[in-house]
């Protein structure tokens, strides 16, 4: 196996038939396999859980008073003209 090949493993998965039918339909509409759909769904769930853990761990370190002071501070220099949106980019505002 070369360095660029990913290792995979097989896992027999039991799904309720209604869930499998929904996955089959969505993956067909999306042009992907059921396996690819399930692997992506698992990866998204893991990412969501790790993101929640990341912010939960750091919330104890947060100093709300310091954050509020930072938000209330007077600004520095105004934005450079190239940082402003053009009329066509504002979105109807």
């Amino acid at each position: 196996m070369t360095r660029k090949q990913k290792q995979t493993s097989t896992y027999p998965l039991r799904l309720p038939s209604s869930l499998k039918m929904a996955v089959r339909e969505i993956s067909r509409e999306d042009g992907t396999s059921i396996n690819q759909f399930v692997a992506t769904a698992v990866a998204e769930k893991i990412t969501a859980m790790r993101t929640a853990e990341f912010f939960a761990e750091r919330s104890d370190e947060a100093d709300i008073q310091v954050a509020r002071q930072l938000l209330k501070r007077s600004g520095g220099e105004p934005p450079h003209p190239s940082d402003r949106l053009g009329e066509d980019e504002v979105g109807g505002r």
Side-chain angles (χ1 to χ4, degrees), residues 23-62:
V23 169
R24 182 183 302 133
E25 181 180 327
I26 293 170
S27 63
R28 188 178 322 147
E29 290 171 0
D30 197 38
T32 61
S33 67
I34 291 175
N35 185 68
Q36 186 176 358
F37 179 88
V38 171
T40 301
V42 170
E44 288 177 1
K45 180 65 175 182
I46 290 170
T47 301
M49 293 176 74
R50 288 189 175 159
T51 300
E53 290 171 9
F54 173 87
F55 286 108
E57 289 169 1
R58 279 145 187 87
S59 68
D60 293 335
E61 300 170 15

Side-chain angles (χ1 to χ4, degrees), residues 27 62 70 77:
S27 63
L70 180 66
E77 297 178 16

Side-chain angles (χ1 to χ4, degrees), residues 77-93:
E77 297 178 16
H80 190 272
S82 66
D83 287 342
R84 297 185 186 274
L85 294 176
E87 290 295 323
D88 58 329
E89 298 173 302
V90 175
R93 285 193 246 168

Side-chain angles (χ1 to χ4, degrees), residues 4-24:
K4 292 187 178 187
Q5 290 177 321
K6 294 181 181 179
Q7 291 183 345
T8 61
S9 63
T10 302
Y11 179 80
L13 180 64
R14 294 177 190 207
L15 295 173
S17 57
S18 60
L19 186 56
K20 184 178 179 188
M21 286 179 4
V23 169
R24 182 183 302 133

